[in-house]
Amino acid sequence: MVLEEKLYGNQFERNIVGSAIKSISNKWTFYVLKDLFLGKNRFTQFQENRPNLDNKSLTRCLKSMEKNNLIEKTIKNNETEYLLTPKGIKLNKVLYELIIFALDTHEEDFYTDEEINFIKETYIDILKL
């Protein structure tokens, strides 16, 4: 009863899971995180092969990620780089579980079993699990 009162009482009114999800809910955040895990760290690299990702949207996404302490912006020799923070790195397991959930609940004919296994193995490598 005491735990239930703590969980549902005013002191825990803020939804911590909702807050965590909100910090990664930007349309482009997953793609930027994936790129960062792959070793990409520059603005133009995040835009590669993404014609719908304009400068304004990417800037907003990066600022939000920085505000949420998922990445840090560094400037070396007039080159801006974005790096995962320890908090951002911790998202690797969360991202992998989201990927597994999406693959396990996809429409039957979207991916073959071979493709699903390839995707799972690839993301194990990408996310350094």
Side-chain angles (χ1 to χ4, degrees):
M1 184 64 168
V2 173
L3 178 59
E4 185 176 334
E5 288 174 8
K6 285 185 176 183
L7 289 174
Y8 294 104
N10 286 335
Q11 69 193 45
F12 291 100
E13 187 64 30
R14 184 173 153 233
N15 180 344
I16 58 173
V17 173
S19 295
I21 290 171
K22 186 177 179 183
S23 72
I24 60 170
S25 66
N26 178 289
K27 176 180 178 178
W28 297 105
T29 299
F30 172 79
Y31 298 102
V32 172
L33 285 169
K34 181 178 83 166
D35 285 349
L36 287 162
F37 278 107
L38 284 168
K40 296 179 180 182
N41 58 13
R42 293 203 169 91
F43 194 92
T44 55
Q45 290 175 315
F46 301 138
Q47 289 180 307
E48 288 174 358
N49 302 315
R50 297 193 183 101
N52 295 331
L53 180 53
D54 59 73
N55 289 349
K56 186 176 179 180
S57 296
L58 179 55
T59 298
R60 245 191 331 255
C61 177
L62 291 169
K63 283 183 181 181
S64 174
M65 292 175 71
E66 196 173 2
K67 178 183 171 197
N68 290 311
N69 196 29
L70 301 177
I71 61 171
E72 63 183 5
K73 179 179 174 179
T74 61
I75 301 173
K76 297 178 186 174
N77 302 326
N78 290 332
E79 294 282 333
T80 302
E81 293 183 344
Y82 298 90
L83 304 171
L84 287 166
T85 63
K87 181 179 176 180
I89 292 169
K90 286 183 181 181
L91 281 171
N92 66 343
K93 293 175 187 161
V94 174
L95 294 174
Y96 185 73
E97 290 302 322
L98 284 170
I99 291 163
I100 297 302
F101 174 78
L103 290 171
D104 289 347
T105 59
H106 73 281
E107 295 180 22
E108 292 297 320
D109 60 349
F110 195 74
Y111 291 114
T112 66
D113 289 341
E114 186 177 307
E115 290 170 328
I116 289 171
N117 290 331
F118 174 78
I119 292 167
K120 288 178 180 180
E121 292 300 317
T122 300
Y123 275 99
I124 285 173
D125 290 339
I126 291 171
L127 299 171
K128 298 169 182 51
L129 295 172

mmCIF file of all heavy atoms in Angstrom, residues 79-124:
data_model
loop_
_atom_site.group_PDB
_atom_site.id
_atom_site.type_symbol
_atom_site.label_atom_id
_atom_site.label_comp_id
_atom_site.label_asym_id
_atom_site.label_seq_id
_atom_site.Cartn_x
_atom_site.Cartn_y
_atom_site.Cartn_z
ATOM 1 N N GLU A 79 35.478 22.665 -36.722
ATOM 2 C CA GLU A 79 34.615 21.551 -37.116
ATOM 3 C C GLU A 79 33.711 21.205 -35.936
ATOM 4 O O GLU A 79 34.196 20.943 -34.843
ATOM 5 C CB GLU A 79 35.445 20.319 -37.505
ATOM 6 C CG GLU A 79 36.279 20.490 -38.750
ATOM 7 C CD GLU A 79 35.447 20.354 -40.022
ATOM 8 O OE1 GLU A 79 34.426 19.671 -40.004
ATOM 9 O OE2 GLU A 79 35.859 20.954 -41.031
ATOM 10 N N THR A 80 32.421 21.205 -36.191
ATOM 11 C CA THR A 80 31.467 20.853 -35.143
ATOM 12 C C THR A 80 31.195 19.361 -35.192
ATOM 13 O O THR A 80 30.922 18.801 -36.252
ATOM 14 C CB THR A 80 30.149 21.627 -35.320
ATOM 15 O OG1 THR A 80 30.439 23.027 -35.287
ATOM 16 C CG2 THR A 80 29.168 21.301 -34.220
ATOM 17 N N GLU A 81 31.301 18.737 -34.030
ATOM 18 C CA GLU A 81 31.012 17.315 -33.910
ATOM 19 C C GLU A 81 29.994 17.105 -32.792
ATOM 20 O O GLU A 81 29.942 17.877 -31.837
ATOM 21 C CB GLU A 81 32.270 16.515 -33.584
ATOM 22 C CG GLU A 81 33.293 16.497 -34.677
ATOM 23 C CD GLU A 81 34.485 15.624 -34.329
ATOM 24 O OE1 GLU A 81 34.670 15.281 -33.150
ATOM 25 O OE2 GLU A 81 35.220 15.301 -35.252
ATOM 26 N N TYR A 82 29.221 16.063 -32.939
ATOM 27 C CA TYR A 82 28.245 15.679 -31.928
ATOM 28 C C TYR A 82 28.624 14.285 -31.436
ATOM 29 O O TYR A 82 28.871 13.384 -32.227
ATOM 30 C CB TYR A 82 26.834 15.675 -32.521
ATOM 31 C CG TYR A 82 26.420 17.038 -32.998
ATOM 32 C CD1 TYR A 82 26.671 17.444 -34.299
ATOM 33 C CD2 TYR A 82 25.803 17.936 -32.130
ATOM 34 C CE1 TYR A 82 26.309 18.709 -34.736
ATOM 35 C CE2 TYR A 82 25.438 19.202 -32.556
ATOM 36 C CZ TYR A 82 25.696 19.580 -33.856
ATOM 37 O OH TYR A 82 25.339 20.830 -34.288
ATOM 38 N N LEU A 83 28.675 14.141 -30.128
ATOM 39 C CA LEU A 83 29.075 12.872 -29.528
ATOM 40 C C LEU A 83 28.018 12.424 -28.531
ATOM 41 O O LEU A 83 27.387 13.250 -27.859
ATOM 42 C CB LEU A 83 30.421 13.033 -28.814
ATOM 43 C CG LEU A 83 31.571 13.570 -29.662
ATOM 44 C CD1 LEU A 83 32.770 13.897 -28.788
ATOM 45 C CD2 LEU A 83 31.943 12.580 -30.748
ATOM 46 N N LEU A 84 27.850 11.119 -28.423
ATOM 47 C CA LEU A 84 26.925 10.585 -27.438
ATOM 48 C C LEU A 84 27.468 10.821 -26.037
ATOM 49 O O LEU A 84 28.667 10.665 -25.789
ATOM 50 C CB LEU A 84 26.746 9.081 -27.645
ATOM 51 C CG LEU A 84 25.924 8.651 -28.844
ATOM 52 C CD1 LEU A 84 26.122 7.170 -29.121
ATOM 53 C CD2 LEU A 84 24.448 8.957 -28.609
ATOM 54 N N THR A 85 26.602 11.193 -25.130
ATOM 55 C CA THR A 85 26.962 11.304 -23.720
ATOM 56 C C THR A 85 26.782 9.912 -23.103
ATOM 57 O O THR A 85 26.196 9.012 -23.719
ATOM 58 C CB THR A 85 26.030 12.292 -22.998
ATOM 59 O OG1 THR A 85 24.695 11.773 -23.059
ATOM 60 C CG2 THR A 85 26.110 13.687 -23.604
ATOM 61 N N PRO A 86 27.232 9.713 -21.876
ATOM 62 C CA PRO A 86 26.965 8.431 -21.214
ATOM 63 C C PRO A 86 25.458 8.107 -21.181
ATOM 64 O O PRO A 86 25.068 6.953 -21.380
ATOM 65 C CB PRO A 86 27.530 8.630 -19.806
ATOM 66 C CG PRO A 86 28.662 9.602 -20.017
ATOM 67 C CD PRO A 86 28.148 10.552 -21.083
ATOM 68 N N LYS A 87 24.634 9.125 -20.989
ATOM 69 C CA LYS A 87 23.177 8.911 -21.009
ATOM 70 C C LYS A 87 22.723 8.465 -22.397
ATOM 71 O O LYS A 87 21.896 7.565 -22.525
ATOM 72 C CB LYS A 87 22.467 10.205 -20.605
ATOM 73 C CG LYS A 87 20.960 10.106 -20.568
ATOM 74 C CD LYS A 87 20.331 11.433 -20.143
ATOM 75 C CE LYS A 87 18.822 11.381 -20.206
ATOM 76 N NZ LYS A 87 18.218 12.660 -19.798
ATOM 77 N N GLY A 88 23.255 9.073 -23.428
ATOM 78 C CA GLY A 88 22.904 8.692 -24.792
ATOM 79 C C GLY A 88 23.333 7.270 -25.112
ATOM 80 O O GLY A 88 22.612 6.515 -25.768
ATOM 81 N N ILE A 89 24.501 6.892 -24.640
ATOM 82 C CA ILE A 89 25.004 5.537 -24.874
ATOM 83 C C ILE A 89 24.096 4.506 -24.222
ATOM 84 O O ILE A 89 23.871 3.425 -24.767
ATOM 85 C CB ILE A 89 26.464 5.408 -24.379
ATOM 86 C CG1 ILE A 89 27.383 6.258 -25.264
ATOM 87 C CG2 ILE A 89 26.921 3.954 -24.351
ATOM 88 C CD1 ILE A 89 28.793 6.421 -24.731
ATOM 89 N N LYS A 90 23.527 4.848 -23.070
ATOM 90 C CA LYS A 90 22.621 3.924 -22.378
ATOM 91 C C LYS A 90 21.363 3.614 -23.181
ATOM 92 O O LYS A 90 20.668 2.651 -22.898
ATOM 93 C CB LYS A 90 22.217 4.493 -21.013
ATOM 94 C CG LYS A 90 23.300 4.420 -19.988
ATOM 95 C CD LYS A 90 22.794 4.937 -18.657
ATOM 96 C CE LYS A 90 23.896 4.895 -17.624
ATOM 97 N NZ LYS A 90 23.424 5.363 -16.319
ATOM 98 N N LEU A 91 21.074 4.402 -24.180
ATOM 99 C CA LEU A 91 19.898 4.147 -25.013
ATOM 100 C C LEU A 91 20.080 2.947 -25.932
ATOM 101 O O LEU A 91 19.118 2.490 -26.553
ATOM 102 C CB LEU A 91 19.560 5.377 -25.858
ATOM 103 C CG LEU A 91 18.817 6.482 -25.129
ATOM 104 C CD1 LEU A 91 18.746 7.721 -26.001
ATOM 105 C CD2 LEU A 91 17.428 6.019 -24.762
ATOM 106 N N ASN A 92 21.291 2.413 -26.030
ATOM 107 C CA ASN A 92 21.524 1.310 -26.959
ATOM 108 C C ASN A 92 20.585 0.135 -26.689
ATOM 109 O O ASN A 92 19.999 -0.425 -27.615
ATOM 110 C CB ASN A 92 22.991 0.884 -26.968
ATOM 111 C CG ASN A 92 23.475 0.272 -25.674
ATOM 112 O OD1 ASN A 92 22.857 0.412 -24.612
ATOM 113 N ND2 ASN A 92 24.602 -0.390 -25.741
ATOM 114 N N LYS A 93 20.395 -0.230 -25.448
ATOM 115 C CA LYS A 93 19.515 -1.362 -25.126
ATOM 116 C C LYS A 93 18.056 -1.026 -25.394
ATOM 117 O O LYS A 93 17.293 -1.866 -25.866
ATOM 118 C CB LYS A 93 19.715 -1.781 -23.675
ATOM 119 C CG LYS A 93 21.085 -2.366 -23.423
ATOM 120 C CD LYS A 93 21.304 -2.661 -21.962
ATOM 121 C CE LYS A 93 22.762 -3.072 -21.749
ATOM 122 N NZ LYS A 93 23.157 -2.943 -20.393
ATOM 123 N N VAL A 94 17.673 0.198 -25.107
ATOM 124 C CA VAL A 94 16.296 0.640 -25.355
ATOM 125 C C VAL A 94 16.003 0.611 -26.851
ATOM 126 O O VAL A 94 14.958 0.102 -27.285
ATOM 127 C CB VAL A 94 16.061 2.059 -24.785
ATOM 128 C CG1 VAL A 94 14.698 2.587 -25.165
ATOM 129 C CG2 VAL A 94 16.264 2.075 -23.275
ATOM 130 N N LEU A 95 16.914 1.149 -27.635
ATOM 131 C CA LEU A 95 16.730 1.162 -29.088
ATOM 132 C C LEU A 95 16.645 -0.253 -29.644
ATOM 133 O O LEU A 95 15.821 -0.548 -30.505
ATOM 134 C CB LEU A 95 17.857 1.935 -29.764
ATOM 135 C CG LEU A 95 17.912 3.425 -29.458
ATOM 136 C CD1 LEU A 95 19.158 4.047 -30.070
ATOM 137 C CD2 LEU A 95 16.672 4.122 -29.953
ATOM 138 N N TYR A 96 17.497 -1.128 -29.130
ATOM 139 C CA TYR A 96 17.474 -2.501 -29.622
ATOM 140 C C TYR A 96 16.126 -3.160 -29.295
ATOM 141 O O TYR A 96 15.538 -3.826 -30.146
ATOM 142 C CB TYR A 96 18.619 -3.316 -29.023
ATOM 143 C CG TYR A 96 18.683 -4.711 -29.602
ATOM 144 C CD1 TYR A 96 19.131 -4.906 -30.908
ATOM 145 C CD2 TYR A 96 18.270 -5.811 -28.871
ATOM 146 C CE1 TYR A 96 19.176 -6.181 -31.465
ATOM 147 C CE2 TYR A 96 18.309 -7.081 -29.423
ATOM 148 C CZ TYR A 96 18.760 -7.259 -30.719
ATOM 149 O OH TYR A 96 18.793 -8.513 -31.269
ATOM 150 N N GLU A 97 15.641 -2.959 -28.104
ATOM 151 C CA GLU A 97 14.354 -3.555 -27.727
ATOM 152 C C GLU A 97 13.214 -2.982 -28.567
ATOM 153 O O GLU A 97 12.275 -3.701 -28.921
ATOM 154 C CB GLU A 97 14.084 -3.369 -26.234
ATOM 155 C CG GLU A 97 14.990 -4.195 -25.344
ATOM 156 C CD GLU A 97 14.902 -5.700 -25.613
ATOM 157 O OE1 GLU A 97 13.796 -6.209 -25.881
ATOM 158 O OE2 GLU A 97 15.948 -6.370 -25.551
ATOM 159 N N LEU A 98 13.277 -1.705 -28.903
ATOM 160 C CA LEU A 98 12.268 -1.124 -29.807
ATOM 161 C C LEU A 98 12.341 -1.759 -31.186
ATOM 162 O O LEU A 98 11.308 -2.044 -31.813
ATOM 163 C CB LEU A 98 12.456 0.395 -29.913
ATOM 164 C CG LEU A 98 11.972 1.222 -28.742
ATOM 165 C CD1 LEU A 98 12.446 2.672 -28.892
ATOM 166 C CD2 LEU A 98 10.471 1.161 -28.629
ATOM 167 N N ILE A 99 13.545 -1.988 -31.655
ATOM 168 C CA ILE A 99 13.724 -2.625 -32.954
ATOM 169 C C ILE A 99 13.158 -4.044 -32.923
ATOM 170 O O ILE A 99 12.430 -4.457 -33.835
ATOM 171 C CB ILE A 99 15.216 -2.628 -33.355
ATOM 172 C CG1 ILE A 99 15.667 -1.206 -33.653
ATOM 173 C CG2 ILE A 99 15.478 -3.551 -34.540
ATOM 174 C CD1 ILE A 99 17.165 -1.020 -33.651
ATOM 175 N N ILE A 100 13.468 -4.794 -31.878
ATOM 176 C CA ILE A 100 12.960 -6.160 -31.734
ATOM 177 C C ILE A 100 11.438 -6.154 -31.676
ATOM 178 O O ILE A 100 10.764 -6.952 -32.338
ATOM 179 C CB ILE A 100 13.559 -6.844 -30.490
ATOM 180 C CG1 ILE A 100 15.066 -6.982 -30.629
ATOM 181 C CG2 ILE A 100 12.895 -8.190 -30.236
ATOM 182 C CD1 ILE A 100 15.529 -7.750 -31.849
ATOM 183 N N PHE A 101 10.886 -5.227 -30.908
ATOM 184 C CA PHE A 101 9.420 -5.113 -30.818
ATOM 185 C C PHE A 101 8.825 -4.845 -32.199
ATOM 186 O O PHE A 101 7.857 -5.481 -32.611
ATOM 187 C CB PHE A 101 9.035 -3.993 -29.843
ATOM 188 C CG PHE A 101 7.568 -3.727 -29.806
ATOM 189 C CD1 PHE A 101 6.709 -4.555 -29.107
ATOM 190 C CD2 PHE A 101 7.028 -2.645 -30.491
ATOM 191 C CE1 PHE A 101 5.345 -4.318 -29.083
ATOM 192 C CE2 PHE A 101 5.669 -2.397 -30.481
ATOM 193 C CZ PHE A 101 4.820 -3.237 -29.762
ATOM 194 N N ALA A 102 9.410 -3.909 -32.926
ATOM 195 C CA ALA A 102 8.896 -3.573 -34.255
ATOM 196 C C ALA A 102 8.993 -4.765 -35.208
ATOM 197 O O ALA A 102 8.057 -5.046 -35.960
ATOM 198 C CB ALA A 102 9.670 -2.377 -34.823
ATOM 199 N N LEU A 103 10.095 -5.473 -35.153
ATOM 200 C CA LEU A 103 10.264 -6.633 -36.029
ATOM 201 C C LEU A 103 9.304 -7.766 -35.667
ATOM 202 O O LEU A 103 8.764 -8.435 -36.543
ATOM 203 C CB LEU A 103 11.708 -7.141 -35.984
ATOM 204 C CG LEU A 103 12.754 -6.248 -36.635
ATOM 205 C CD1 LEU A 103 14.154 -6.753 -36.316
ATOM 206 C CD2 LEU A 103 12.536 -6.156 -38.132
ATOM 207 N N ASP A 104 9.108 -7.960 -34.370
ATOM 208 C CA ASP A 104 8.235 -9.049 -33.925
ATOM 209 C C ASP A 104 6.761 -8.756 -34.155
ATOM 210 O O ASP A 104 5.943 -9.670 -34.150
ATOM 211 C CB ASP A 104 8.467 -9.354 -32.445
ATOM 212 C CG ASP A 104 9.813 -10.031 -32.204
ATOM 213 O OD1 ASP A 104 10.445 -10.482 -33.190
ATOM 214 O OD2 ASP A 104 10.239 -10.099 -31.038
ATOM 215 N N THR A 105 6.423 -7.496 -34.351
ATOM 216 C CA THR A 105 5.003 -7.145 -34.533
ATOM 217 C C THR A 105 4.722 -6.604 -35.929
ATOM 218 O O THR A 105 3.662 -6.042 -36.165
ATOM 219 C CB THR A 105 4.566 -6.105 -33.474
ATOM 220 O OG1 THR A 105 5.378 -4.936 -33.588
ATOM 221 C CG2 THR A 105 4.661 -6.681 -32.071
ATOM 222 N N HIS A 106 5.642 -6.791 -36.849
ATOM 223 C CA HIS A 106 5.462 -6.299 -38.215
ATOM 224 C C HIS A 106 4.453 -7.169 -38.955
ATOM 225 O O HIS A 106 4.126 -8.280 -38.526
ATOM 226 C CB HIS A 106 6.787 -6.298 -38.966
ATOM 227 C CG HIS A 106 7.259 -7.665 -39.352
ATOM 228 N ND1 HIS A 106 7.867 -8.506 -38.449
ATOM 229 C CD2 HIS A 106 7.204 -8.335 -40.511
ATOM 230 C CE1 HIS A 106 8.152 -9.642 -39.053
ATOM 231 N NE2 HIS A 106 7.764 -9.576 -40.301
ATOM 232 N N GLU A 107 3.998 -6.671 -40.062
ATOM 233 C CA GLU A 107 3.110 -7.456 -40.914
ATOM 234 C C GLU A 107 3.872 -8.653 -41.453
ATOM 235 O O GLU A 107 5.048 -8.553 -41.788
ATOM 236 C CB GLU A 107 2.585 -6.588 -42.065
ATOM 237 C CG GLU A 107 1.695 -5.455 -41.597
ATOM 238 C CD GLU A 107 1.187 -4.624 -42.757
ATOM 239 O OE1 GLU A 107 1.159 -5.116 -43.903
ATOM 240 O OE2 GLU A 107 0.822 -3.475 -42.502
ATOM 241 N N GLU A 108 3.214 -9.759 -41.543
ATOM 242 C CA GLU A 108 3.830 -11.032 -41.902
ATOM 243 C C GLU A 108 4.737 -10.985 -43.129
ATOM 244 O O GLU A 108 5.791 -11.581 -43.140
ATOM 245 C CB GLU A 108 2.751 -12.100 -42.114
ATOM 246 C CG GLU A 108 2.043 -12.481 -40.832
ATOM 247 C CD GLU A 108 2.958 -13.122 -39.800
ATOM 248 O OE1 GLU A 108 3.825 -13.929 -40.180
ATOM 249 O OE2 GLU A 108 2.815 -12.791 -38.615
ATOM 250 N N ASP A 109 4.334 -10.315 -44.172
ATOM 251 C CA ASP A 109 5.107 -10.369 -45.409
ATOM 252 C C ASP A 109 6.037 -9.176 -45.618
ATOM 253 O O ASP A 109 6.568 -8.986 -46.699
ATOM 254 C CB ASP A 109 4.164 -10.514 -46.605
ATOM 255 C CG ASP A 109 3.186 -9.346 -46.721
ATOM 256 O OD1 ASP A 109 3.099 -8.547 -45.773
ATOM 257 O OD2 ASP A 109 2.522 -9.245 -47.759
ATOM 258 N N PHE A 110 6.259 -8.389 -44.588
ATOM 259 C CA PHE A 110 7.103 -7.212 -44.749
ATOM 260 C C PHE A 110 8.576 -7.598 -44.853
ATOM 261 O O PHE A 110 9.296 -7.119 -45.712
ATOM 262 C CB PHE A 110 6.862 -6.232 -43.603
ATOM 263 C CG PHE A 110 7.409 -4.868 -43.861
ATOM 264 C CD1 PHE A 110 6.778 -4.008 -44.743
ATOM 265 C CD2 PHE A 110 8.563 -4.432 -43.237
ATOM 266 C CE1 PHE A 110 7.271 -2.739 -44.997
ATOM 267 C CE2 PHE A 110 9.077 -3.172 -43.481
ATOM 268 C CZ PHE A 110 8.428 -2.328 -44.363
ATOM 269 N N TYR A 111 9.051 -8.456 -43.956
ATOM 270 C CA TYR A 111 10.429 -8.952 -43.970
ATOM 271 C C TYR A 111 10.409 -10.476 -43.967
ATOM 272 O O TYR A 111 9.549 -11.083 -43.351
ATOM 273 C CB TYR A 111 11.211 -8.513 -42.716
ATOM 274 C CG TYR A 111 11.517 -7.047 -42.619
ATOM 275 C CD1 TYR A 111 10.955 -6.271 -41.619
ATOM 276 C CD2 TYR A 111 12.415 -6.450 -43.491
ATOM 277 C CE1 TYR A 111 11.263 -4.921 -41.507
ATOM 278 C CE2 TYR A 111 12.729 -5.099 -43.384
ATOM 279 C CZ TYR A 111 12.146 -4.351 -42.389
ATOM 280 O OH TYR A 111 12.448 -3.030 -42.281
ATOM 281 N N THR A 112 11.408 -11.057 -44.591
ATOM 282 C CA THR A 112 11.570 -12.505 -44.486
ATOM 283 C C THR A 112 12.257 -12.814 -43.155
ATOM 284 O O THR A 112 12.865 -11.924 -42.542
ATOM 285 C CB THR A 112 12.441 -13.054 -45.636
ATOM 286 O OG1 THR A 112 13.769 -12.529 -45.482
ATOM 287 C CG2 THR A 112 11.871 -12.676 -47.000
ATOM 288 N N ASP A 113 12.214 -14.063 -42.731
ATOM 289 C CA ASP A 113 12.902 -14.456 -41.496
ATOM 290 C C ASP A 113 14.402 -14.195 -41.604
ATOM 291 O O ASP A 113 15.043 -13.771 -40.637
ATOM 292 C CB ASP A 113 12.646 -15.935 -41.186
ATOM 293 C CG ASP A 113 11.224 -16.195 -40.731
ATOM 294 O OD1 ASP A 113 10.537 -15.236 -40.317
ATOM 295 O OD2 ASP A 113 10.802 -17.370 -40.779
ATOM 296 N N GLU A 114 14.947 -14.412 -42.781
ATOM 297 C CA GLU A 114 16.371 -14.161 -43.005
ATOM 298 C C GLU A 114 16.696 -12.675 -42.829
ATOM 299 O O GLU A 114 17.699 -12.312 -42.212
ATOM 300 C CB GLU A 114 16.751 -14.630 -44.414
ATOM 301 C CG GLU A 114 18.232 -14.556 -44.696
ATOM 302 C CD GLU A 114 18.564 -15.090 -46.086
ATOM 303 O OE1 GLU A 114 18.166 -16.226 -46.395
ATOM 304 O OE2 GLU A 114 19.212 -14.333 -46.835
ATOM 305 N N GLU A 115 15.842 -11.811 -43.370
ATOM 306 C CA GLU A 115 16.054 -10.362 -43.230
ATOM 307 C C GLU A 115 15.926 -9.930 -41.775
ATOM 308 O O GLU A 115 16.706 -9.091 -41.296
ATOM 309 C CB GLU A 115 15.048 -9.599 -44.094
ATOM 310 C CG GLU A 115 15.299 -9.735 -45.578
ATOM 311 C CD GLU A 115 14.174 -9.176 -46.431
ATOM 312 O OE1 GLU A 115 12.991 -9.224 -46.022
ATOM 313 O OE2 GLU A 115 14.482 -8.690 -47.541
ATOM 314 N N ILE A 116 14.977 -10.489 -41.063
ATOM 315 C CA ILE A 116 14.795 -10.154 -39.638
ATOM 316 C C ILE A 116 16.043 -10.521 -38.852
ATOM 317 O O ILE A 116 16.542 -9.718 -38.047
ATOM 318 C CB ILE A 116 13.544 -10.857 -39.066
ATOM 319 C CG1 ILE A 116 12.282 -10.219 -39.646
ATOM 320 C CG2 ILE A 116 13.530 -10.787 -37.544
ATOM 321 C CD1 ILE A 116 11.006 -10.960 -39.321
ATOM 322 N N ASN A 117 16.555 -11.702 -39.076
ATOM 323 C CA ASN A 117 17.771 -12.123 -38.370
ATOM 324 C C ASN A 117 18.954 -11.235 -38.724
ATOM 325 O O ASN A 117 19.752 -10.881 -37.856
ATOM 326 C CB ASN A 117 18.085 -13.591 -38.667
ATOM 327 C CG ASN A 117 17.088 -14.514 -38.013
ATOM 328 O OD1 ASN A 117 16.519 -14.194 -36.971
ATOM 329 N ND2 ASN A 117 16.863 -15.662 -38.624
ATOM 330 N N PHE A 118 19.060 -10.851 -39.997
ATOM 331 C CA PHE A 118 20.130 -9.955 -40.415
ATOM 332 C C PHE A 118 20.007 -8.600 -39.698
ATOM 333 O O PHE A 118 20.996 -8.068 -39.192
ATOM 334 C CB PHE A 118 20.103 -9.755 -41.934
ATOM 335 C CG PHE A 118 21.094 -8.735 -42.412
ATOM 336 C CD1 PHE A 118 22.436 -9.066 -42.525
ATOM 337 C CD2 PHE A 118 20.696 -7.442 -42.729
ATOM 338 C CE1 PHE A 118 23.362 -8.127 -42.960
ATOM 339 C CE2 PHE A 118 21.611 -6.504 -43.153
ATOM 340 C CZ PHE A 118 22.948 -6.844 -43.271
ATOM 341 N N ILE A 119 18.804 -8.055 -39.650
ATOM 342 C CA ILE A 119 18.582 -6.760 -38.990
ATOM 343 C C ILE A 119 18.943 -6.852 -37.508
ATOM 344 O O ILE A 119 19.642 -5.988 -36.970
ATOM 345 C CB ILE A 119 17.121 -6.287 -39.175
ATOM 346 C CG1 ILE A 119 16.871 -5.945 -40.648
ATOM 347 C CG2 ILE A 119 16.809 -5.091 -38.281
ATOM 348 C CD1 ILE A 119 15.403 -5.762 -41.001
ATOM 349 N N LYS A 120 18.495 -7.896 -36.845
ATOM 350 C CA LYS A 120 18.800 -8.065 -35.415
ATOM 351 C C LYS A 120 20.302 -8.137 -35.178
ATOM 352 O O LYS A 120 20.835 -7.450 -34.298
ATOM 353 C CB LYS A 120 18.118 -9.317 -34.869
ATOM 354 C CG LYS A 120 16.621 -9.190 -34.726
ATOM 355 C CD LYS A 120 16.006 -10.484 -34.219
ATOM 356 C CE LYS A 120 14.503 -10.365 -34.069
ATOM 357 N NZ LYS A 120 13.906 -11.631 -33.564
ATOM 358 N N GLU A 121 20.989 -8.944 -35.961
ATOM 359 C CA GLU A 121 22.442 -9.082 -35.807
ATOM 360 C C GLU A 121 23.165 -7.778 -36.120
ATOM 361 O O GLU A 121 24.127 -7.409 -35.440
ATOM 362 C CB GLU A 121 22.971 -10.220 -36.688
ATOM 363 C CG GLU A 121 22.520 -11.595 -36.261
ATOM 364 C CD GLU A 121 22.959 -11.954 -34.855
ATOM 365 O OE1 GLU A 121 24.130 -11.673 -34.498
ATOM 366 O OE2 GLU A 121 22.144 -12.515 -34.105
ATOM 367 N N THR A 122 22.714 -7.089 -37.143
ATOM 368 C CA THR A 122 23.327 -5.817 -37.521
ATOM 369 C C THR A 122 23.210 -4.805 -36.395
ATOM 370 O O THR A 122 24.177 -4.121 -36.051
ATOM 371 C CB THR A 122 22.686 -5.268 -38.814
ATOM 372 O OG1 THR A 122 22.878 -6.221 -39.863
ATOM 373 C CG2 THR A 122 23.299 -3.939 -39.212
ATOM 374 N N TYR A 123 22.016 -4.721 -35.803
ATOM 375 C CA TYR A 123 21.838 -3.755 -34.723
ATOM 376 C C TYR A 123 22.567 -4.153 -33.449
ATOM 377 O O TYR A 123 22.966 -3.293 -32.663
ATOM 378 C CB TYR A 123 20.354 -3.469 -34.461
ATOM 379 C CG TYR A 123 19.829 -2.407 -35.391
ATOM 380 C CD1 TYR A 123 19.109 -2.724 -36.523
ATOM 381 C CD2 TYR A 123 20.110 -1.073 -35.149
ATOM 382 C CE1 TYR A 123 18.662 -1.737 -37.387
ATOM 383 C CE2 TYR A 123 19.680 -0.088 -36.005
ATOM 384 C CZ TYR A 123 18.955 -0.426 -37.115
ATOM 385 O OH TYR A 123 18.531 0.559 -37.975
ATOM 386 N N ILE A 124 22.813 -5.425 -33.239
ATOM 387 C CA ILE A 124 23.639 -5.841 -32.108
ATOM 388 C C ILE A 124 25.041 -5.243 -32.281
ATOM 389 O O ILE A 124 25.621 -4.714 -31.338
ATOM 390 C CB ILE A 124 23.699 -7.373 -31.987
ATOM 391 C CG1 ILE A 124 22.361 -7.894 -31.423
ATOM 392 C CG2 ILE A 124 24.858 -7.821 -31.096
ATOM 393 C CD1 ILE A 124 22.239 -9.398 -31.419
#
